[in-house]
Amino acid sequence: MAYSVRYDDGHPTSQGTLDVAYRDDDLYSTFRTSSVVSKGDETSLIENSARKGQAAYYQDLAFGTAKYPLEQRIENKKRGIGRQKYPFVVWALTIAMVGVFINELVVNARAQGTPLSFKPAVNPMLGPSESALINLGARFPPCMKSVTNISSSTLMPCLNDTANPPTSLCTIEEVCGFGGWGDGTPNQWFRFITPIFLHAGIIHILLNMLAQVTVSAQIEREMGSGGFFITYFAAGIFGNVLGGNFSLVGAPSVGASGAIFGTVAVTWVDLFAHWRYHYQPRKRLAWMSVELVLGIALGYIPSHLGGLCMGLLVGTTFYPVISPTPRHRAIMWAFRLAAIPLAVVLFVVLIRNFYTSDPYAACSGCRYLSCIPLSSNDYCQGTGMS
């Protein structure tokens, strides 16, 4: 029986038979409204309209207003089609981070005469000096609060120092910049946020941006820009909060790794919530486990773990999960209702712990997550300042 397909947005009519499945070359055209009109049998239109009015035939997108047939949502999930076609937030973040990194190189070039720091020590990531990163907003607890054994007047290499041992010394307050602190107490709380946009060097930013424009971009397409934005920054900030608590206080930290790990965590939410819709889910689980271990092992582990943890909680809340049964839907809402207060509690507890005199008291062994015990760092018992 011949049929014609009419798209409401002006696509041309095509002819075929009902025995052959219609093949759509545009992956995202499934979101357009279409209708199938059988020649000589107009009653099908009435029947289709009646079906569309049935509540059981459609299922709401989580946190969305539009409705799509459940079968279509499942097919879109298998084809990797999400809420939107373009990852606008990822693109904006990537452009901003590249711009910030260029500024890092400019600042280091003005201070040391070269955009990359080779003296007094080579930056293995091929980037600016530690002092330059601190001056630009790295997470550095002595700039954020009073730290035992490190006062505002403690001397450290200036941005322009290239000698070893250093000959050009500045106070921590001078290196921290941003106008210092007027009342004598370090208070640059914004360093929980600014490190997300900074990177230690060319290698660092290339690795992070590669992950961001692939994994993070796909997550944004699937969950939408709003939920992605909240998940990304919640994970990035919490990664810095956890790292600020349990990394060596004298070691600056930068990078979007915590935020990116938060988006990686959403892929785990997707895998377990949509286990039946993934191709070879057990093999996918194995590969994801290997990638997770390698990713956490590289860099500042507390920041990575913090981003992963918060990404799971916030991602569970905002990721649009397909629930084919009332039981599945109830389980997902139970997880969401538990995740929101847990995320808030973790933020409050760890921020308060950070501002205590000795954050390590809450977890004395956590410093080893980001420190290899050596004689040069007093076997991780010192501040970490070089």
Side-chain angles (χ1 to χ4, degrees):
M1 179 170 57
Y3 73 97
S4 63
V5 178
R6 183 183 71 251
Y7 284 95
D8 292 347
D9 57 359
H11 277 221
T13 302
S14 59
Q15 299 293 328
T17 63
L18 286 178
D19 296 331
V20 181
Y22 174 71
R23 308 187 68 149
D24 190 352
D25 293 329
D26 180 0
L27 289 178
Y28 289 86
S29 65
T30 53
F31 291 103
R32 303 190 188 104
T33 304
S34 63
S35 60
V36 178
V37 182
S38 299
K39 291 183 178 180
D41 190 8
E42 296 179 355
T43 57
S44 60
L45 270 178
I46 301 175
E47 295 172 357
N48 288 339
S49 299
R51 290 188 67 191
K52 290 181 180 180
Q54 296 175 3
Y57 188 70
Y58 283 83
Q59 182 183 40
D60 289 326
L61 274 170
F63 298 98
T65 57
K67 293 184 176 182
Y68 302 106
L70 177 60
E71 295 81 0
Q72 181 174 320
R73 289 187 62 199
I74 294 173
E75 180 61 25
N76 289 348
K77 159 57 61 180
K78 293 178 179 179
R79 297 168 66 185
I81 300 174
R83 283 182 164 178
Q84 62 190 56
K85 186 174 182 179
Y86 300 112
F88 297 109
V89 173
V90 165
W91 289 351
L93 288 170
T94 302
I95 292 171
M97 290 174 184
V98 171
V100 169
F101 183 69
I102 292 173
N103 181 60
E104 292 178 36
L105 300 181
V106 171
V107 168
N108 200 78
R110 289 175 177 172
Q112 294 189 343
T114 174
L116 307 181
S117 180
F118 296 105
K119 296 179 181 180
V122 175
N123 180 342
M125 290 290 179
L126 301 179
S129 65
E130 278 192 1
S131 296
L133 291 172
I134 293 171
N135 184 259
L136 290 166
R139 190 193 74 220
F140 190 58
C143 299
M144 306 168 72
K145 63 170 188 172
S146 296
V147 175
T148 304
N149 300 325
I150 304 178
S151 67
S152 299
S153 59
T154 300
L155 298 177
M156 63 182 300
C158 297
L159 273 69
N160 63 350
D161 182 75
T162 57
N164 190 11
T167 56
S168 179
L169 298 174
C170 297
T171 65
I172 282 183
E173 185 172 3
E174 291 172 332
V175 174
C176 288
F178 295 98
W181 35 89
D183 61 357
T185 303
N187 56 6
Q188 296 180 352
W189 57 268
F190 53 82
R191 290 177 182 269
F192 285 131
I193 304 172
T194 52
I196 297 173
F197 294 89
L198 298 167
H199 288 84
I202 295 174
I203 297 175
H204 191 199
I205 193 170
L206 285 177
L207 291 174
N208 273 359
M209 294 305 96
L210 176 62
Q212 186 160 282
V213 299
T214 53
V215 178
S216 300
Q218 179 59 26
I219 292 301
E220 183 184 354
R221 292 187 187 99
E222 293 181 9
M223 69 188 304
S225 293
F228 175 84
F229 182 90
I230 297 172
T231 303
Y232 186 93
F233 279 98
I237 294 170
F238 187 75
N240 283 319
V241 170
L242 189 66
N245 273 271
F246 302 124
S247 296
L248 296 181
V249 293
S253 175
V254 295
S257 301
I260 294 172
F261 261 85
T263 64
V264 170
V266 179
T267 65
W268 286 77
V269 175
D270 172 38
L271 177 63
F272 288 110
H274 301 132
W275 184 268
R276 68 172 69 179
Y277 306 134
H278 283 281
Y279 177 70
Q280 294 184 339
R282 289 181 177 81
K283 183 180 292 186
R284 181 179 175 85
L285 175 62
W287 278 110
M288 287 173 60
S289 300
V290 172
E291 292 172 353
L292 181 64
V293 171
L294 292 177
I296 292 177
L298 297 174
Y300 286 89
I301 296 178
S303 297
H304 292 183
L305 286 176
L308 184 73
C309 174
M310 191 54 57
L312 284 172
L313 296 176
V314 181
T316 298
T317 304
F318 289 100
Y319 190 78
V321 174
I322 300 173
S323 296
T325 64
R327 181 174 178 272
H328 188 278
R329 189 181 304 110
I331 292 173
M332 284 307 307
W333 273 104
F335 275 116
R336 286 170 177 152
L337 294 175
I340 296 172
L342 181 57
V344 173
V345 168
L346 286 174
F347 261 110
V348 172
V349 169
L350 285 172
I351 288 176
R352 291 188 63 181
N353 186 68
F354 173 78
Y355 284 106
T356 60
S357 58
D358 183 16
Y360 292 132
C363 181
S364 59
C366 288
R367 69 183 70 205
Y368 298 107
L369 291 174
S370 60
C371 178
I372 300 175
L374 299 171
S375 58
S376 59
N377 59 26
D378 195 19
Y379 297 98
C380 299
Q381 298 304 308
T383 63
M385 288 188 65
S386 54

